[in-house]
Amino acid sequence: MNKLTMMLAATASLLGPALAQDLSQDISKGLAGYRQGLAGAREAFQAEDWAALDAALTDAQTAAPGSLYVYRNRILAKMLLDQPDEALALVGQAADQGLTLTLAGHPAFEELTALPGYKAIAAKMETNAGPLGDPESMREFADTELLPEAIAFDRKKALYIGSVRSGAILKAGKKDDALTLVAKAPGGVFDIELRNKTLWAAVNNQLAYKQAGEEDPFAAVMVFDARTGAPKKEIRVDEADAILGDLEVAKDGTTYASDSGTPRIFRLPRDGDSMEVFSADPAFVNPQGIALDEKSGMLYMADYLAGIFAIDTQTGEAMQLSNDAKAWLGGIDGLYLYEDGLIGIQNGSTPQRIVYLGLNDDKTAITSFITMHRNLEGWNEPTHGAVVGDEFHYIAASNWPSYGDDGTVKEEPPLQPVRIMTLPLESK
């Protein structure tokens, strides 16, 4: 995921340059363990100590079970250890979880793909890569330079879109073909929430924001009048390592925000004038989407590298949900409540997909995993969405892959128009 590459600066291949170590300050065992494992793996690879490489990658995967990057290199380590059966088992498990893997770049991978048992697994992965779902139900707007990351709907089903590139929040009525400006933030808009006539936004002046670097980095929760666009409140976190990626607003006005730069959850009381760290569990690695269930008093959080957590809204205590479905839970960006489960936008997996996670009665375990949309034509990295009745609307073309790590526009893939696709949820 291009956005994650910018945030973590830790996706260099073990086969290429040394892994970047200039990461944010350790505050959790999850992130610390992940870093330590990657650093150990780099050293072991350079020393050609394959047993140490395997052990270090296993440690990194324990800290970040959703890292497909680590998973792929664990396969390589097994081949270097002359354990082809173990390597093939890992590839087969990925295929059973609906994933595809690119196994190239080292002679050991060539040996793996020549094994007798690989052909059937490759056929399954080829099927996994195929599109799934109906791409026809969508709205499209001509703007290509927004880098849309967030959407919301009002009671009349007017669409609101937040732009990372420009900091604009725009609006289109149900039958409008163009977007009109509602409000402007002093940084990229990464998420928006709309309640009645009030609009909340998670804002960061970093990454692909067009004016990044013109002032010191900050992250903020901003509140606007949804009718006039007038700013009502701006609460900043003046830390370079803070990236507010998602937010949820309770009925009483309490705001929760996930920080993917430094793994933690912030809370802003309704009349508060500062963000307070609400939850910073040692197992957090890279918090992304959050979904508030006020009925059960739980805030669900998708950690891009660690899985799904439930956070008690009274205490801030976090519990990682058991993965009883044995599904691949890494790479989930947007997260949304629907009926007795969760909808996830999984853009950090291959293939990318929109999934439904069924939960058990006490919401402590993921018991089922359904792929609803996958790898559709017109996608350029889906990111966030919104549930409206029995429909899920999501950004299909965010354009993150079209930006380099420094925020500049790349030639490939080309920028796409804003595309909002609709997924009928009765089909899940």
Side-chain angles (χ1 to χ4, degrees):
M1 176 181 178
N2 191 281
K3 178 170 59 173
L4 184 68
T5 302
M6 295 181 189
M7 290 187 291
L8 293 182
T11 55
S13 171
L14 288 173
L15 309 178
L19 289 169
Q21 296 298 302
D22 183 20
L23 301 177
S24 59
Q25 179 183 1
D26 282 341
I27 68 165
S28 81
K29 294 178 182 177
L31 180 57
Y34 179 61
R35 289 178 179 157
Q36 185 176 358
L38 290 181
R42 179 191 61 185
E43 293 173 4
F45 187 86
Q46 292 172 343
E48 298 187 4
D49 185 341
W50 308 137
L53 173 65
D54 184 50
L57 289 169
T58 299
D59 289 344
Q61 193 88 85
T62 299
S67 173
L68 203 54
Y69 162 75
V70 171
Y71 194 92
R72 176 185 179 275
N73 282 293
R74 284 178 59 210
I75 296 168
L76 175 61
K78 295 298 185 185
M79 290 300 298
L80 294 172
L81 275 171
D82 195 23
Q83 296 176 353
D85 290 344
E86 288 83 350
L88 206 59
L90 286 173
V91 181
Q93 179 176 302
D96 289 342
Q97 292 175 319
L99 301 175
T100 63
L101 296 173
T102 300
L103 301 175
H106 193 281
F109 281 138
E110 295 177 13
E111 295 175 17
L112 171 64
T113 57
L115 293 173
Y118 181 77
K119 187 175 181 180
I121 297 173
K124 183 178 289 187
M125 288 195 292
E126 184 176 355
T127 300
N128 293 344
L132 175 68
D134 179 10
E136 299 301 322
S137 180
M138 69 177 178
R139 295 182 70 180
E140 186 170 290
F141 302 93
D143 311 63
T144 60
E145 298 183 0
L146 290 183
L147 211 172
E149 177 74 356
I151 62 173
F153 291 84
D154 65 17
R155 292 179 178 178
K156 295 181 179 180
K157 295 189 178 180
L159 169 67
Y160 290 73
I161 296 178
S163 166
V164 167
R165 191 64 171 165
S166 68
I169 299 174
L170 306 109
K171 176 183 177 180
K174 288 178 62 176
K175 298 182 179 180
D176 292 343
D177 296 324
L179 297 164
T180 58
L181 182 66
V182 173
K184 188 75 182 293
V189 176
F190 282 65
D191 196 31
I192 54 177
E193 287 290 325
L194 184 64
R195 280 192 177 275
N196 298 322
K197 300 173 183 178
T198 303
L199 188 63
W200 284 260
V203 177
N204 305 278
N205 68 340
Q206 300 184 61
L207 306 183
Y209 177 55
K210 198 167 188 176
Q211 294 172 266
E214 293 184 6
E215 64 174 306
D216 291 340
F218 72 85
V221 169
M222 295 192 67
V223 183
F224 299 91
D225 185 309
R227 297 166 299 178
T228 67
K232 300 166 67 175
K233 182 185 291 188
E234 180 179 336
I235 306 297
R236 291 194 177 192
V237 179
D238 290 310
E239 299 177 23
D241 293 329
I243 301 287
L244 301 185
D246 202 7
L247 55 81
E248 283 278 72
V249 180
K251 292 178 181 177
D252 67 359
T254 301
T255 303
Y256 301 90
S258 62
D259 182 354
S260 56
T262 302
R264 55 193 170 179
I265 302 294
F266 283 106
R267 180 171 64 182
L268 175 65
R270 177 178 180 175
D271 297 319
D273 56 7
S274 65
M275 303 282 283
E276 58 186 41
V277 177
F278 176 60
S279 185
D281 192 273
F284 293 171
V285 182
N286 186 244
Q288 293 287 337
I290 53 178
L292 179 61
D293 184 355
E294 294 195 65
K295 186 180 296 184
S296 66
M298 287 293 175
L299 179 72
Y300 295 97
M301 184 268 283
D303 188 300
Y304 210 70
L305 297 175
I308 308 296
F309 291 81
I311 302 166
D312 190 307
T313 57
Q314 294 298 314
T315 66
E317 182 179 352
M319 174 193 68
Q320 191 163 10
L321 298 190
S322 174
N323 184 9
D324 293 359
K326 301 189 184 306
W328 185 263
L329 300 177
I332 293 179
D333 191 351
L335 189 72
Y336 309 91
L337 283 174
Y338 181 70
E339 292 184 344
D340 296 323
L342 298 163
I343 295 170
I345 298 181
Q346 195 171 39
N347 56 25
S349 67
T350 53
Q352 297 180 339
R353 50 195 183 178
I354 312 298
V355 299
Y356 180 78
L357 312 178
L359 303 179
N360 62 351
D361 291 341
D362 60 4
K363 309 294 179 69
T364 60
I366 296 164
T367 55
S368 63
F369 183 94
I370 301 170
T371 299
M372 299 186 291
H373 275 186
R374 179 182 65 214
N375 208 17
L376 289 174
E377 182 180 354
W379 279 13
N380 192 19
E381 191 158 305
T383 52
H384 286 190
V387 175
V388 182
D390 286 325
E391 292 182 330
F392 182 59
H393 306 269
Y394 64 92
I395 297 169
S398 68
N399 285 327
W400 275 108
S402 301
Y403 290 86
D405 293 351
D406 60 356
T408 57
V409 180
K410 300 189 299 186
E411 290 186 7
E412 293 290 337
L415 293 171
Q416 301 292 313
V418 176
R419 292 194 183 100
I420 310 297
M421 288 190 177
T422 299
L423 192 164
L425 293 175
E426 61 268 17
S427 63
K428 71 173 177 60

